[in-house]
Amino acid sequence: MANKGHFISVFLCLAVSITGVAQNDFESFEKRMNNQFDAFQQRTNNEYNSFLRRVNAEYAAMLERAWAEYRVVAKIEVPEDKLKPIPPVVFPKKDENKKLIPKALPYKDVVPVPVPKPQPQPVAPIEQTPTPVNVPKVEFSFFGTKASVRFDSSHRLRLEGVSERSIAQAWKQMSTDAYSNLVYDCLQIRQEKKLCDWGYLEMLKYMADCICGTNTNETTLLMAYVYCQSGYKMRLARTDMGKLIMLYASDHIIYNLGYFVVDGKKYYPYGVSSSRIYICDITFPNEQAMSLLIPVEQLFERAVSQPKTRQSRRYPEMRTTMTSNTNLMNFYSTYPTSMVGENMVSRWAMYANTPLSEEVKAQIYPSLRAGIQGCNQLTAVNKLLNYVQTGFVYEYDDKVWGRDRAFFAEESLYYPYCDCEDRSILFTRLVRDLLGLNCILIYYPGHLASAVEFTEQGATGDYIQLNGRKFIVADATYIDAPVGHTMPNMNNRTAKVIILK
């Protein structure tokens, strides 16, 4: 919607400059223009509201039709390497003074960078409903972050069952003005906290639990309604035992979660599910599947962890002390591992391209910048590389977590242990942020390494050539190895290159 003040002021300035109207005429003209704009805005809002009500009425009518039976498709397990994870290797001291020879390494595939797309938007703008000064609010908290939505609890859903008719009637109830401000406020929270799609879905669960009770059918329906009104693709379903389920569509293939195929699209159950369910397979206009990319920092309130100090063994000036936001760490723990398309190695790009929080940058980047101040690119990268190689304790995921679990860069700074993939993700994040140099990840069966594109002369050794660009190997798990060295026994003919942004 156009900004009224800006529109009127620009128009009036033009009118004054062109016509030279007197002050009284100007004030009269301004009032008339304001009234006309208000009338135009009101007509537009009424048209949007009328359209949205019509869409929801049609959707509710379709909900009354019989829901079709579907059976779950077995979950896709996180691919396990045929080789066991390769343990860290210490760079031989005898090789420290050897002259590096440039060597182009072969590779098998290139995985392009996943590109974020705009978040889903409502099919029509959600307009606020005029409310009294003391409007009832529901306060809740998600990942330690306080929030509230305007909602009169006297309008809370009370389902008599999960039949098609019961759900349709409840949908009609939610499509009234009583729920407009709630939807509007949820979208405002998404915007203010910069929530990614997964963060928004999780927030809606906390909100709905607070209003309707934890894990009730009413909670599921309220969550599904707001999610749908926000522009996301979802389907409602029920089990033979009378449990309502919300299914969400994703642009990514999610690991370790059984799914249902509806019209050729994968839908994943949020929370509990069943091997056989009944799905309402109707569409909502302009619905869009969620993305699991996290392109910007999630602005959760801060809960401070205990401080951790890390230091490079070779370069003691590369030393950091920091605390983490445990609210953010808890959110990351809920994040579902996934892949883009059918490429299993694309998942690491999603972790590697997620930014560090500004709070963490403010704690560690001044120290790291001081440590590399005055250094050329090669020396600076070697310092950052050794900081990650020797400042962090290596441990296998299955020993710590009982399963494979990749870390976001910020998680490696928080948890006491990390493995090769976590080190490569953190190292490439630091190089891109502190030096502005492009990086790639290199996946071998059992190992993840990285490489850096230098813009100064001086760096040499093993490298990957991509469209005329040279990325020189830097392995955060090859302990004390400087830039240019590939860890022993890596078979580059099986390597896959993952491009980072």
Side-chain angles (χ1 to χ4, degrees):
M1 185 64 64
N3 180 278
K4 173 183 174 181
H6 176 74
F7 176 85
I8 296 296
S9 61
V10 170
F11 191 90
L12 291 175
C13 286
L14 287 172
V16 170
S17 63
I18 293 172
T19 65
V21 295
Q23 181 64 27
N24 290 340
D25 292 337
F26 175 85
E27 292 175 355
S28 174
F29 182 66
E30 180 183 26
K31 184 177 181 180
R32 189 165 65 253
M33 287 301 300
N34 273 306
N35 290 338
Q36 289 178 5
F37 190 91
D38 287 341
F40 164 76
Q41 191 172 43
Q42 186 61 49
R43 285 197 307 273
T44 304
N45 289 345
N46 289 341
E47 288 172 2
Y48 282 140
N49 290 337
S50 177
F51 172 73
L52 193 55
R53 287 194 183 96
R54 187 170 68 252
V55 167
N56 276 306
E58 292 172 355
Y59 188 82
M62 297 291 286
L63 284 171
E64 292 199 49
R65 296 186 178 182
W67 296 10
E69 180 181 328
Y70 286 80
R71 292 191 176 271
V72 69
V73 178
K75 63 184 179 182
I76 300 173
E77 302 280 356
V78 176
E80 293 188 7
D81 284 318
K82 295 179 181 178
L83 299 177
K84 292 183 178 180
I86 297 171
V89 175
V90 178
F91 186 70
K93 286 188 175 292
K94 63 182 179 63
D95 292 342
E96 287 181 358
N97 296 319
K98 279 188 178 180
K99 184 178 179 180
L100 276 169
I101 306 298
K103 180 183 178 183
L105 302 176
Y107 52 88
K108 184 178 180 181
D109 294 314
V110 176
V111 181
V113 58
V115 179
K117 62 183 182 182
Q119 281 191 299
Q121 297 296 328
V123 65
I126 305 297
E127 298 296 336
Q128 301 184 74
T129 301
T131 54
V133 176
N134 297 321
V135 58
K137 288 187 177 181
V138 174
E139 297 181 347
F140 64 98
S141 178
F142 65 105
F143 301 109
T145 302
K146 295 179 181 178
S148 66
V149 293
R150 289 168 292 172
F151 184 71
D152 186 340
S153 295
S154 65
H155 296 287
R156 185 170 67 87
L157 289 175
R158 289 175 175 82
L159 292 174
E160 296 181 358
V162 292
S163 68
E164 290 89 341
R165 181 171 178 77
S166 178
I167 300 301
Q169 290 300 317
W171 195 274
K172 292 175 184 177
Q173 176 186 340
M174 292 185 292
S175 302
T176 62
D177 288 344
Y179 283 75
S180 296
N181 288 338
L182 184 150
V183 177
Y184 181 92
D185 290 346
C186 286
L187 286 166
Q188 286 298 111
I189 294 169
R190 185 182 75 169
Q191 178 179 328
E192 291 167 4
K193 300 302 180 183
K194 298 185 178 180
L195 299 179
C196 63
D197 292 347
W198 181 254
Y200 186 57
L201 181 59
E202 289 286 281
M203 183 274 287
L204 294 183
K205 177 60 164 62
Y206 282 94
M207 177 275 298
D209 274 346
C210 185
I211 292 176
C212 298
T214 304
N215 296 327
T216 64
N217 285 336
E218 288 84 357
T219 289
T220 299
L221 186 55
L222 176 58
M223 180 182 173
Y225 175 78
V226 179
Y227 191 67
C228 171
Q229 300 301 297
S230 301
Y232 291 91
K233 181 179 286 189
M234 71 87 204
R235 296 292 181 267
L236 287 168
R238 69 167 183 270
T239 68
D240 285 323
M241 302 300 294
K243 182 66 177 175
L244 195 65
I245 299 172
M246 191 195 89
L247 307 172
Y248 59 91
S250 172
D251 283 337
H252 305 163
I253 296 174
I254 299 174
Y255 290 117
N256 299 328
L257 186 59
Y259 59 91
F260 299 86
V261 178
V262 182
D263 293 331
K265 186 75 177 179
K266 293 182 178 67
Y267 286 84
Y268 297 88
Y270 186 93
V272 298
S273 186
S274 177
S275 60
R276 184 181 70 175
I277 62 176
Y278 300 88
I279 300 175
C280 178
D281 59 357
I282 59 175
T283 63
F284 199 86
N286 295 351
E287 60 183 12
Q288 184 177 316
M290 75 146 54
S291 167
L292 286 169
L293 301 181
I294 308 178
V296 296
E297 176 186 355
Q298 307 295 282
L299 301 182
F300 300 117
E301 292 177 14
R302 186 164 173 78
V304 180
S305 71
Q306 292 296 314
K308 287 186 175 64
T309 298
R310 304 184 189 276
Q311 184 175 19
S312 163
R313 187 165 58 208
R314 177 171 291 172
Y315 307 102
E317 67 272 22
M318 302 295 285
R319 175 187 171 93
T320 61
T321 299
M322 59 158 282
T323 59
S324 298
N325 183 357
T326 56
N327 290 333
L328 180 61
M329 298 302 101
N330 291 336
F331 167 70
Y332 282 154
S333 293
T334 72
Y335 179 83
T337 299
S338 66
M339 62 178 169
V340 179
E342 299 290 337
N343 199 316
M344 55 84 72
V345 302
S346 62
R347 64 191 176 109
W348 288 305
M350 287 183 271
Y351 290 93
N353 287 330
T354 298
L356 286 175
S357 67
E358 293 301 319
E359 179 69 28
V360 164
K361 290 179 183 179
Q363 292 183 77
I364 69 171
Y365 280 8
S367 300
L368 295 177
R369 283 196 177 98
I372 61 177
Q373 186 175 7
C375 298
N376 59 32
Q377 286 181 357
L378 178 58
T379 302
V381 171
N382 272 324
K383 284 188 170 186
L384 292 171
L385 183 60
N386 195 262
Y387 167 76
V388 178
Q389 288 171 340
T390 62
F392 296 76
V393 180
Y394 184 96
E395 192 53 271
Y396 298 111
D397 278 345
D398 58 355
K399 187 172 181 180
V400 178
W401 302 99
R403 57 184 171 82
D404 178 74
R405 185 179 180 214
F407 280 167
F408 294 98
E410 200 148 335
E411 290 182 290
S412 292
L413 293 164
Y414 170 70
Y415 289 107
Y417 307 106
C418 57
D419 64 5
C420 64
E421 62 191 12
D422 309 321
R423 288 164 172 250
S424 294
I425 287 167
L426 174 59
F427 169 68
T428 55
R429 183 74 274 159
L430 298 178
V431 170
R432 285 175 289 167
D433 285 356
L434 293 169
L435 299 172
L437 300 179
N438 294 318
C439 297
I440 59 173
L441 298 174
I442 309 171
Y443 167 75
Y444 305 93
H447 186 55
L448 191 70
S450 58
V452 179
E453 182 183 27
F454 291 85
T455 58
E456 293 177 355
Q457 298 295 318
T460 190
D462 297 341
Y463 66 91
I464 296 286
Q465 189 87 17
L466 284 176
N467 299 321
R469 301 163 61 190
K470 183 183 290 187
F471 292 81
I472 301 179
V473 170
D475 195 327
T477 310
Y478 195 6
I479 309 303
D480 285 329
V483 168
H485 292 273
T486 301
M487 202 156 73
N489 302 317
M490 295 293 102
N491 181 3
N492 270 83
R493 296 192 182 281
T494 65
K496 295 183 179 182
V497 173
I498 305 164
I499 299 176
L500 303 179
K501 69 175 180 69

